[in-house]
Amino acid sequence: MKRNDSSARSRELGVELRKRREAARWRANDLAYQLGWSATKVSRMESGERGVSEVDAAIYLTFCGVLREELDDLLNLAREGSDETWLQEHGERLTDELRTLIFHETAAVTIAWYEPMLVPGQLQTEDYARALFEFARIVPEDRIDHAVRARMERQALLRRREPPEFQFLVHENGLRAPVGNAQIMHEQLLHLVFLNSRPQCEIRVIPAASGPHGAWFGPFMLMRYQGHGPVVYVEGLTTSVFLETRQHIDAYQNVLSRLDRAALDVARSRDLLARLASEYDRSEEEPDEHA
């Protein structure tokens, strides 16, 4: 990719630069004049239309009064701003708190999300998310409340006045995998039925009998943007990877097309979700033989 091409990473950096300039109460033209740059250079840096060197980013941010700790984080974006593939280390932060993922979700026009073993995070109820964090033990116990709150806040994207068009492809195995207890699963499945009736939120189920899709294809998101190339997001336990090369996009688009063909339509998916919710409801009512 040429240095002056826009990448998802450079657009993210541009947004952060503009935020810091506005917080420092600088107009773009005035800041450009003080730095001895052209107004066009500042505009392109903030729009992500040109690569930003680490030196230029440091000068810009320092002039806007950004302190050392925050400066280091933002310079990491400048170092990797032209990459078409990059790893985001979770470190001590929660996946849902990762600035990069939230930025790209918010800017997307369409989001296709495949999840083979769980309910996607954007669709989880609070009790389901809490039970999942408690089971996984990847978040310290004293941070679980914060993790659940962060996940619920991230779901505001679905309620936005003009949200992205979501397509969720969820494998039946993920809906049958119990998280918490039967009541939690019953309420989670009813929540999916409700969401599947909302505009711009398509939830479709891939039947277990359709083949070993869940075994071959792990979870991923394919996000598309107005005026920019698509981005694939693949989440791991300790790192997440963002992909932008045509080779990667084509590969995941091919998988998405196969999953789309295997999935039930919206109406039949809604019927299956309702049936599974009823199954969990009945199992909740059944007496415990060992009680």
Side-chain angles (χ1 to χ4, degrees), residues 56-68:
D56 281 351
I59 294 172
Y60 181 110
L61 292 166
T62 301
F63 208 85
C64 291
V66 175
L67 300 178
R68 178 61 182 271

Side-chain angles (χ1 to χ4, degrees), residues 17-290:
L17 292 175
R18 185 172 66 253
K19 284 181 181 178
R20 300 320 186 276
R21 173 178 60 77
E22 292 173 349
R25 300 183 182 277
W26 280 105
R27 293 189 301 179
N29 287 346
D30 293 339
L31 179 60
Y33 177 80
Q34 291 294 327
L35 295 175
W37 296 347
S38 68
T40 300
K41 176 176 179 176
V42 170
S43 175
R44 289 181 175 175
M45 288 172 63
E46 293 184 352
S47 67
E49 293 179 8
R50 58 162 291 154
V52 180
S53 71
E54 186 178 349
V55 172
D56 281 351
I59 294 172
Y60 181 110
L61 292 166
T62 301
F63 208 85
C64 291
V66 175
L67 300 178
R68 178 61 182 271
E69 181 177 353
E70 186 179 18
L71 180 64
D72 288 342
D73 287 340
L74 292 171
L75 289 182
N76 283 333
L77 289 176
R79 295 185 189 108
E80 303 168 7
S82 62
D83 290 349
E84 294 172 308
T85 301
W86 69 92
L87 285 174
Q88 173 73 67
E89 293 189 7
H90 297 178
E92 296 180 354
R93 296 177 296 177
L94 303 172
T95 301
D96 287 346
E97 296 174 329
L98 292 176
R99 176 185 58 211
T100 303
L101 174 57
I102 294 172
F103 170 83
H104 293 305
E105 282 185 329
T106 303
V109 175
T110 66
I111 298 177
W113 187 332
Y114 170 60
E115 178 56 67
M117 294 307 298
L118 297 168
V119 172
Q122 284 281 9
L123 305 178
Q124 293 174 7
T125 64
E126 183 173 341
D127 287 341
Y128 182 98
R130 184 179 303 280
L132 192 59
F133 282 123
E134 290 174 348
F135 172 81
R137 299 183 181 179
I138 58 175
V139 176
E141 186 175 351
D142 61 353
R143 297 278 293 171
I144 288 180
D145 285 345
H146 181 73
V148 173
R149 185 167 62 253
R151 181 154 294 185
M152 295 303 103
E153 290 174 352
R154 183 175 157 208
Q155 294 179 6
L157 185 61
L158 287 169
R159 302 186 295 274
R160 201 172 67 185
R161 178 174 297 181
E162 295 184 2
E165 291 187 5
F166 277 97
Q167 181 192 49
F168 296 96
L169 296 173
V170 186
H171 201 282
E172 182 181 350
N173 290 342
L175 302 175
R176 292 188 178 277
V179 174
N181 54 40
Q183 180 181 354
I184 289 175
M185 292 301 300
H186 171 66
E187 293 175 352
Q188 175 65 77
L189 269 295
L190 287 181
H191 185 60
L192 295 181
V193 173
F194 167 74
L195 290 176
N196 211 16
S197 64
R198 298 185 62 172
Q200 296 181 289
C201 183
E202 177 183 288
I203 304 172
R204 296 171 59 205
V205 179
I206 300 172
S210 67
H213 298 93
W216 281 103
F217 308 128
F220 67 90
M221 296 168 58
L222 195 157
M223 298 172 279
R224 297 188 180 277
Y225 307 88
Q226 185 69 40
H228 300 292
V231 174
V232 168
Y233 171 77
V234 183
E235 181 181 321
L237 182 63
T238 59
T239 60
S240 300
V241 62
F242 294 82
L243 308 167
E244 289 190 86
T245 65
R246 175 48 55 190
Q247 178 182 4
H248 288 132
I249 298 300
D250 287 347
Y252 277 92
Q253 181 58 63
N254 179 56
V255 170
L256 193 63
S257 296
R258 294 180 60 184
L259 295 171
D260 181 75
R261 290 193 297 270
L264 302 175
D265 61 26
V266 173
R268 288 191 295 166
S269 293
R270 188 181 299 117
D271 290 343
L272 178 55
L273 291 170
R275 187 164 69 250
L276 290 173
S278 296
E279 290 179 11
Y280 281 116
D281 190 34
R282 288 196 300 271
S283 65
E284 180 187 354
E285 294 175 352
E286 292 175 356
D288 187 347
E289 297 180 355
H290 302 285

